Structure formats: structure tokens, C-alpha cells
Amino acid sequence: ELEELENQTEVSCVLAVSEHIEAVKKLLRAGQKVIFPSDMYLSEGTIRWMLAEADPALAELPLYVSGEYKKSKWTGALYALVKQQEKIEYTEWIHTGDNKYSYVEVPRRLGIKVNPVRSLELCRAGRYVLDEEKKSVYAEFAAGASQYVMAQADRKGAWETGVTTGANILLPYVLWI
């Protein structure tokens, strides 16, 4: 029951990044093969469920989950598995990801072209909230949501205060009203 609750919670927290989804669809329209190697402990079924929440077309693509195969990207073993299963030489790949070691350095060493993406940085207020509330699921959610909104708008100043601190202060009051 706990595992199912965790899976449902993970799926309910999916936030689709439209620019990444559009990039995948553009590759597919151009006739490119898109494969998702995933360093994740969740099952393939749960990750497909999460992908379907973001966009149903994503759930149909080949998926290799480290937890299922007991191979990871950081060792390079998951890349080797994908290469063997898909029969694609490393030099034909372009790997996209935000982890500087597992998604950029390791594949580059294997001869894979990499397309690093910027990972979302927490703003000062978000870091403060997480430092102060280390065991709060609400703090995690609030920091993640504000990080997501900040990445979409890429604004600073009053905007940053509003989506990090202001909303958290005003929400209980608005709900009370």
C-alpha cells in the first residue's frame, strides 16, 4: 500500500516542462529516434505513468530504467545496455540532461555527444525555506513550485518574492477568507 501511495504521489507531482516536451516532439517529427535512459529507483510502469501525465506521446517511447536493470548512468552501465539493446553506436547519440557528471561527463567519455541543460536553481528564499524546514513536505513542494515558476518566467526582484515568499504568506489568508 505504501509503494502504491508513493507512486500515486510521484505521478500527482509531475510538472511538465513544455519546452522539453516540444523538443522531443520536434525530434520525432524529424524522424529521429528518442530513447529515455532513466536513473531512477521507481518502476518502469510508474515512470511511464509519469510521462503519460506530462504528455501521452512520451509514454510510448523506449525507456530504460536503472532500477529495473540494476545499472546506472553514473557508472556508464545503463548507457552500455541501451547501446546493446538498441544497436546504436555512441557516436550516433546526443544525450540531454542536467547532471554534470552522470548526464554530461560520463556520456562524453563514452564518445556520446552531449546537450547539457541548465538545472533549475533554487532562489535565495527557496534555499532558506528548505534550510529552515528540513523535514517539511510542504516546504519541499513550495520550493519546487516556486523554482518551476521562476524558471518559466526567469524574472527577479518582486516577482521572485511573490512566487517564493508572498504566495506562501497570502495563501492561508486567502483560504481563510
Side-chain angles (χ1 to χ4, degrees), residues 115-172:
N115 178 25
V117 295
R118 155 180 85 98
S119 54
L120 299 176
E121 300 281 331
L122 271 179
C123 64
R124 186 177 58 244
R127 284 192 305 275
Y128 174 78
V129 167
L130 289 180
D131 287 344
E132 291 297 311
E133 301 291 333
K134 290 182 175 47
K135 294 184 180 180
S136 168
V137 172
Y138 173 74
E140 289 277 341
F141 180 75
S146 66
Q147 177 185 31
Y148 178 77
V149 171
M150 289 293 293
Q152 301 304 309
D154 201 26
R155 297 182 181 151
K156 302 290 179 205
W159 177 268
E160 180 179 331
T161 302
V163 299
T164 56
T165 311
N168 296 328
I169 293 169
L170 290 174
L171 179 62

Side-chain angles (χ1 to χ4, degrees), residues 5-158:
L5 177 61
E6 179 181 12
N7 291 339
Q8 289 174 1
T9 302
E10 290 283 357
V11 172
S12 71
C13 291
V14 168
L15 288 174
V17 180
S18 56
E19 67 188 73
H20 293 197
I21 293 171
E22 186 50 42
V24 168
K25 288 182 170 184
K26 184 177 179 182
L27 289 170
L28 293 170
R29 285 191 300 270
Q32 299 294 314
K33 183 166 188 144
V34 176
I35 300 167
F36 292 134
S38 176
D39 259 347
M40 187 55 129
Y41 69 95
L42 294 171
S43 71
E44 178 180 336
T46 301
I47 294 175
R48 284 197 186 283
W49 186 12
M50 293 168 74
L51 289 168
E53 283 294 310
D55 189 299
L58 300 179
E60 303 302 318
L61 298 172
L63 174 64
Y64 293 85
V65 182
S66 60
E68 301 269 331
Y69 293 100
K70 308 295 185 246
K71 297 177 184 303
S72 69
K73 287 182 176 183
W74 70 272
T75 64
L78 190 61
Y79 296 116
L81 174 74
V82 173
K83 177 185 176 193
Q84 176 189 12
Q85 294 291 314
E86 297 292 331
K87 297 173 182 30
I88 303 172
E89 292 301 316
Y90 290 140
T91 55
E92 298 175 46
W93 296 23
I94 299 175
H95 189 272
T96 301
D98 65 354
N99 182 294
K100 290 178 184 169
Y101 183 75
S102 298
Y103 305 167
V104 176
E105 190 176 320
V106 172
R108 193 174 274 154
R109 281 190 208 154
L110 294 171
I112 298 170
K113 294 178 204 120
V114 295
N115 178 25
V117 295
R118 155 180 85 98
S119 54
L120 299 176
E121 300 281 331
L122 271 179
C123 64
R124 186 177 58 244
R127 284 192 305 275
Y128 174 78
V129 167
L130 289 180
D131 287 344
E132 291 297 311
E133 301 291 333
K134 290 182 175 47
K135 294 184 180 180
S136 168
V137 172
Y138 173 74
E140 289 277 341
F141 180 75
S146 66
Q147 177 185 31
Y148 178 77
V149 171
M150 289 293 293
Q152 301 304 309
D154 201 26
R155 297 182 181 151
K156 302 290 179 205

